[in-house]
Amino acid sequence: MRFGYFDDARREYVITTPRTPLPWINYLGCEDFFTLLSNTAGGYCFYRDARLRRLTRYRYNNCPLDSEGFRVYIKDGDTVWNPGWQPVQTELDSYSCRHGLGYTVIEGEKDGVGARQELFVPKGELCLLIRLTVSNNCPVKRKLQVFPYLEFCLWDAMDDSSNFQRNLSIGEVEVKDPAIYHKTEYRERRDHYAVFWANRPFDGFDTSREAFIGTYGSPARPQAVFGGGCTGSITHGWQPIAAEQFDLTLGPGDSESIIFGLGYIENPGDEKWESTGVINKKKALAMMARFAADDAFDAALEELRQYWEELLSGYQLYSGAQKLDRMVNVWNQYQCMVTFNMSRSASYFESGMGRGMGFRDSCQDLLGFVHLIPDRARERILDIAATQFPDGSAYHQYQPLTKKGNTAMGSGFNDDPLWLIAGADAYLRETGDWSILDEPVPFDNDPALAKPLLEHLLRSFRYTSSHLGPHGLPLIGRADWNDCLNLNCFSEHPGESFQITGPSEGPVAESVFIAGMFVKYGRALADICRHRGMDVSYMMDAVAAMEASVLDAGWDGDWFRRAFDAAGHVVGGKECREGQIFIEPQGMCVMAGIGKETGQAAAALESVKERLDTPFGIVLLDPPYSRYYLELGEIGSYPPGYKENAAVFCHNNPWIVCAEAELGHGDRAFEVYRRFAPAYIEDISEIHRTEPYVYSQMIAGKDAPDFGEAKNSWLTGTTAWSFVAISQAILGIKPTLDGLLIAPCIPASVKSYSVKRRFRGAVYVITVENPLGVQHGVRELYVNGAAHEPGVIPVQKAGSTVSIRVIMG
Ligand code: BGC
Ligand code: NOJ
């Protein structure tokens, strides 16, 4: 069942009922000011950091779901309704929500009155704009009242949701028509406040939640709206809110719009006050003035549209396959931007308080983002590298506001260092900007310890090669990519974090997955160093030795093993009762080319197909763990079929796509892609439940009672890897250090397609023809009409348009 449809021409997903299986959200803002917004106008805002600078409140785990947001109440006689249905839930005569690229439009109609809420964060601004347009579609005059409402958060979301003994006494606001200023803690150490304004004077306001909603009231039945209107309350402590009232009289066919804004303002320490206790509103007033008129609102929205048009023009596919084109051209790239911005911090499944930027997560996000805005990717790589320790290991997370490593979490995740190579390598291949390697970057955020980025990459390599276990495989540390395989943890007490319990190192537990990474990214680093004229023989020796160890101790007969635990027992082998085969090493080792010549790679992928395939994607392992095993950690804490315990953990499905493509299996590569790509499963939204326009982290596996149900949408490494899988592995447009390589690996049934791809300043218009119906192999290649040897096309002149014709066979 569907709950909406893709409007490809407008690059929107149009939701046609407010009763989606879960709130279906969008992200507004792509620089410093962000808003999460659901299809019923639920959500919240923050400046840069969802934990440390939260502007509006949101209660996770609330009942009813999605209660807080940017709601507008419309009062028409005795009827009260919201254009997005929530929170009053008055039945609407019509409803739609259009989630577009960085903006959302929600429209509702009730008894001949239409209301449209357009929301976006203008480029370069620290505010959310909301335009409400109310229309009278009836032949008679209508008197209406409208009330926008939101609840402020006292800045630190964690503290806000726990430290009530203090927080219920500190809330402060200031009101100056038509704006409400939230200035809690501004009187002491903060130099920032939030402001909610309208572009016309209001007819009433409230800043106390108790006054507007009622002590025992609810947002579904605010006392002020259902009663006599706003009360003019000024809150002292308790819960500061912004509610405003506007009385409208609309003649037949009339419509009126009001522009609201929620802004974030910072003032220098010596310019905080206008007079004693009165905040300096200069910047806020200037912001309000910039968006006072409809044409300014329209122009800013148009600028945002242009921005996305330009960004997406860097990779456009024309395949004739509607679902594929919409994934590649719009939604996958859009989600890559969101994961780049958020890492795993704030979604409807990530509270914004738990995790900041993840080291491995952000490195992988770069893989799908680097072609969009290479300069921001560059900056990110340097930020991440600055959280590396001098020995090459790394902080596992850092806060976006401070860019400092998170000491509570610390280090010890032994895959982390190698992901830095992956990110830097992707950047170099995309841009050819070798200067990044010479950029001085601190270790442990200490500028005194700065060394060129290249040295960071070398230390990543060295960290792995110098931390090997008894089988010559890398030590796993706290965990590798699979956060739940905690082989040195041995946690016996409820509530202990699997991430930080136990020693961060153990001398025995080894990871075959990290070994695969070492081969793949070790080679990539060697290529980079070779380019710089360095001697890489020691690297290639270490890589060769690792490959041999994988094929020896890491090979189980029909697939790659997963690990050795702290007692030296195999994890992910036939001798195991549960967890006999894991997906991760099959994907990573085959992507690294291990066993490609000698047959193990093909056998491993065959085993994946036999043992792990399901109609909803490939599960992470099989058979699932039926109980908690002390020696394995968090993985067995999940019921069978969920999360790392045998869900379809989408992130590593594209690894299998890439691995299949590595072996030239185009039919199978696409089949794997198709099963978990959101646009292809739109029709089963009632089972899948999360947004059909973005990837989710997991889909309940075959062993779960609700097989096929997804969770954790939006913030997942699936996004970047899926874009790599489709754009590079399948469609075959691969940036290399020396130029663009076109090496498609497609279903035999695909006859042709073309791709427009920006690369190092030139535009490549690539057409691929497949007259013989093969799955891979390039027979002829033409560059601007001239025959060219199949292989890498050298970098073309910036500013030029290059036409490439590829004939497979
Ligand atoms: C989840 C993992 C996640 C980890 C992060 C675990 O509970 O299952 O997916 O990476 O927490 O801390
Ligand atoms: C989600 C985490 O964000 C990611 O870092 C990890 O690799 C996967 N879970 C698997 O555990």
Side-chain angles (χ1 to χ4, degrees):
M1 189 198 297
R2 297 183 187 191
F3 298 84
Y5 60 92
F6 287 92
D7 182 338
D8 292 325
R10 300 174 62 97
R11 296 177 170 148
E12 292 172 343
Y13 192 81
V14 187
I15 300 166
T16 49
T17 166
R19 289 183 176 85
T20 41
L22 289 167
W24 283 0
I25 73 164
N26 194 10
Y27 283 82
L28 315 183
C30 49
E31 292 150 339
D32 290 321
F33 190 102
F34 298 100
T35 303
L36 278 66
L37 185 74
S38 75
N39 57 310
T40 65
Y44 62 91
C45 271
F46 59 93
Y47 167 73
R48 282 198 183 161
D49 192 313
R51 171 168 174 184
L52 297 178
R53 215 43 68 80
R54 186 80 66 96
L55 305 186
T56 62
R57 209 168 252 166
Y58 192 82
R59 294 175 185 81
Y60 281 82
N61 227 350
N62 211 344
C63 183
L65 214 53
D66 204 27
S67 288
E68 294 79 27
F70 309 93
R71 265 59 187 256
V72 178
Y73 298 89
I74 298 185
K75 188 173 187 189
D76 178 5
D78 289 337
T79 309
V80 176
W81 55 282
N82 311 98
W85 182 66
Q86 281 262 63
V88 179
Q89 300 189 0
T90 299
E91 221 45 63
L92 300 174
D93 299 332
S94 74
Y95 160 91
S96 73
C97 166
R98 291 180 167 266
H99 280 320
L101 306 183
Y103 68 90
T104 289
V105 181
I106 296 172
E107 284 184 272
E109 181 158 347
K110 180 76 188 164
D111 299 336
V113 174
R116 174 183 162 95
Q117 233 178 313
E118 298 164 276
L119 306 97
F120 74 105
V121 172
K123 284 274 303 153
E125 295 280 350
L126 299 182
C127 65
L128 166 71
L129 293 183
I130 307 172
R131 178 164 63 188
L132 175 74
T133 307
V134 185
S135 331
N136 176 6
N137 306 327
C138 306
V140 292
K141 194 162 85 175
R142 305 291 282 266
K143 275 181 181 294
L144 307 162
Q145 289 176 320
V146 306
F147 302 84
Y149 165 70
L150 57 84
E151 186 171 350
F152 291 110
C153 179
L154 309 187
W155 311 117
D156 180 331
M158 187 78 118
D159 188 75
D160 183 71
S161 58
S162 52
N163 193 7
F164 301 108
Q165 60 80 24
R166 169 180 163 83
N167 292 341
L168 295 178
S169 291
I170 61 173
E172 287 191 301
V173 295
E174 227 175 277
V175 178
K176 188 145 192 262
D177 193 3
I180 293 172
Y181 297 84
H182 174 231
K183 59 172 187 179
T184 301
E185 290 189 339
Y186 189 75
R187 62 208 301 285
E188 28 118 352
R189 292 156 297 172
R190 293 194 184 272
D191 58 4
H192 42 266
Y193 61 81
V195 52
F196 181 74
W197 79 85
N199 69 342
R200 61 152 89 172
F202 47 65
D203 297 299
F205 71 90
D206 269 309
T207 66
S208 145
R209 196 186 71 192
E210 194 166 14
F212 186 72
I213 299 280
T215 311
Y216 294 101
S218 100
R221 220 184 147 72
Q223 172 178 288
V225 176
F226 281 81
C230 283
T231 69
S233 59
I234 299 287
T235 202
H236 301 283
W238 300 110
Q239 295 89 358
I241 60 152
E244 297 187 348
Q245 175 181 334
F246 299 86
D247 302 334
L248 307 181
T249 304
L250 296 178
D254 281 358
S255 66
E256 269 191 44
S257 72
I258 311 175
I259 298 172
F260 304 107
L262 175 69
Y264 170 82
I265 306 289
E266 271 179 10
N267 279 331
D270 53 351
E271 291 173 26
K272 280 175 69 168
W273 306 102
E274 183 182 303
S275 57
T276 311
V278 179
I279 59 182
N280 178 350
K281 305 183 180 62
K282 223 155 123 196
K283 283 189 186 170
L285 293 173
M287 184 183 266
M288 289 154 68
R290 283 199 291 282
F291 299 106
D294 283 314
D295 52 1
F297 184 99
D298 291 332
L301 189 54
E302 184 51 32
E303 189 190 340
L304 186 68
R305 284 215 175 91
Q306 293 297 330
Y307 173 73
W308 272 105
E309 175 76 36
E310 169 64 18
L311 278 184
L312 295 179
S313 69
Y315 197 114
Q316 287 292 298
L317 165 70
Y318 308 89
S319 73
Q322 205 182 31
K323 291 178 184 170
L324 183 61
D325 284 1
R326 66 169 65 118
M327 279 314 316
V328 173
N329 296 341
V330 185
W331 296 98
N332 198 163
Q333 296 194 64
Y334 183 55
Q335 195 180 354
C336 284
M337 168 71 97
V338 172
T339 53
F340 175 83
N341 285 327
M342 298 290 123
S343 197
R344 306 296 168 268
S345 67
S347 73
Y348 266 31
F349 298 85
E350 299 277 9
S351 67
M353 301 185 230
R355 302 197 258 173
M357 311 296 283
F359 191 100
R360 80 158 81 86
D361 295 325
S362 290
C363 284
Q364 289 173 87
D365 291 345
L366 287 164
L367 309 182
F369 176 81
V370 63
H371 72 290
L372 287 172
I373 315 179
D375 286 350
R376 287 189 69 195
R378 187 183 206 274
E379 188 191 343
R380 176 64 55 79
I381 290 167
L382 302 179
D383 285 349
I384 297 173
T387 65
Q388 193 176 22
F389 290 105
D391 71 351
S393 63
Y395 275 112
H396 193 48
Q397 289 164 7
Y398 69 97
Q399 276 311 121
L401 197 66
T402 60
K403 297 188 175 177
K404 292 262 159 47
N406 175 345
T407 44
M409 176 63 69
S411 69
F413 296 80
N414 281 352
D415 61 321
D416 275 336
L418 293 172
W419 289 118
L420 182 63
I421 302 179
D425 174 53
Y427 175 78
L428 278 175
R429 285 188 284 114
E430 181 68 36
T431 62
D433 168 21
W434 293 91
S435 74
I436 193 174
L437 295 176
D438 302 317
E439 203 67 58
V441 186
F443 280 103
D444 194 7
N445 296 113
D446 179 353
L449 301 178
K451 286 272 186 277
L453 179 71
L454 180 59
E455 181 59 27
H456 284 252
L457 305 183
L458 292 169
R459 291 196 195 178
S460 286
F461 181 92
R462 214 172 302 143
Y463 183 83
T464 310
S465 61
S466 62
H467 287 74
L468 303 181
H471 300 93
L473 297 166
L475 293 173
I476 198 167
R478 292 199 180 283
D480 60 20
W481 173 90
N482 191 330
D483 274 330
C484 299
L485 203 54
N486 314 114
L487 305 181
N488 293 309
C489 179
F490 298 98
S491 171
E492 287 185 283
H493 305 289
E496 269 175 359
S497 163
F498 290 104
Q499 310 283 304
I500 56 175
T501 303
S504 64
E505 285 189 36
V508 175
E510 298 167 290
S511 162
V512 179
F513 174 79
I514 302 181
M517 278 188 86
F518 183 78
V519 172
K520 180 167 167 57
Y521 297 115
R523 279 211 192 100
L525 181 62
D527 285 347
I528 291 168
C529 292
R530 207 177 284 118
H531 250 259
R532 302 264 295 200
M534 293 162 62
D535 174 17
V536 298
S537 50
Y538 79 95
M539 290 185 181
M540 295 314 290
D541 290 348
V543 164
M546 190 67 79
E547 204 166 352
S549 303
V550 171
L551 288 174
D552 179 12
W555 182 249
D556 201 62
D558 289 302
W559 57 78
F560 295 103
R561 291 172 169 164
R562 181 61 180 85
F564 288 91
D565 71 16
H569 297 140
V570 171
V571 179
K574 286 191 192 113
E575 67 196 78
C576 309
R577 207 173 58 80
E578 300 180 328
Q580 289 180 339
I581 170 170
F582 281 66
I583 190 174
E584 308 102 301
Q586 323 312 326
M588 188 51 77
C589 293
V590 179
M591 282 197 287
I594 302 176
K596 189 172 164 183
E597 306 306 327
T598 42
Q600 291 91 336
L605 295 184
E606 206 41 54
S607 300
V608 167
K609 199 166 161 184
E610 245 167 58
R611 307 278 309 249
L612 302 177
D613 237 13
T614 83
F616 297 129
I618 302 172
V619 294
L620 193 145
L621 62 88
D622 194 69
Y625 293 107
S626 58
R627 64 172 178 88
Y628 175 62
Y629 292 91
L630 190 66
E631 68 278 18
L632 299 181
E634 185 171 1
I635 197 156
S637 75
Y638 285 113
Y642 293 97
K643 294 278 283 182
E644 281 86 345
N645 191 12
V648 174
F649 210 94
C650 299
H651 188 142
N652 27 48
N653 276 242
W655 293 347
I656 299 299
V657 176
C658 295
E660 292 285 1
E662 182 69 30
L663 301 191
H665 304 155
D667 282 325
R668 170 75 179 153
F670 190 76
E671 175 58 22
V672 174
Y673 170 79
R674 201 187 55 78
R675 291 215 190 146
F676 68 96
Y680 286 85
I681 44 182
E682 186 193 9
D683 288 344
I684 55 157
S685 288
E686 82 284 10
I687 299 173
H688 188 70
R689 298 189 76 208
T690 53
E691 296 91 333
Y693 39 93
V694 291
Y695 291 98
S696 293
Q697 182 205 58
M698 65 148 253
I699 300 172
K702 60 186 167 50
D703 306 282
D706 36 25
F707 182 29
E709 180 188 66
K711 289 197 185 93
N712 300 12
S713 55
W714 283 97
L715 303 185
T716 161
T718 316
T719 316
W721 274 105
S722 293
F723 194 69
V724 169
I726 188 68
S727 67
Q728 299 188 29
I730 294 180
L731 299 169
I733 323 285
K734 306 183 196 220
T736 72
L737 295 176
D738 303 309
L740 211 53
L741 171 67
I742 321 281
C745 184
I746 55 174
S749 58
V750 171
K751 292 281 165 270
S752 68
Y753 60 92
S754 56
V755 171
K756 211 166 128 199
R757 213 290 191 192
R758 204 171 23 236
F759 181 65
R760 306 209 192 166
V763 175
Y764 292 67
V765 181
I766 304 156
T767 57
V768 175
E769 297 159 39
N770 186 18
L772 305 179
V774 297
Q775 296 183 45
H776 68 104
V778 170
R779 197 177 66 195
E780 294 168 51
L781 176 67
Y782 299 91
V783 178
N784 288 329
H788 191 285
E789 201 185 312
V792 175
I793 302 161
V795 176
Q796 305 287 304
K797 217 168 112 231
S800 63
T801 298
V802 193
S803 106
I804 309 284
R805 182 166 171 229
V806 175
I807 303 178
M808 294 177 67

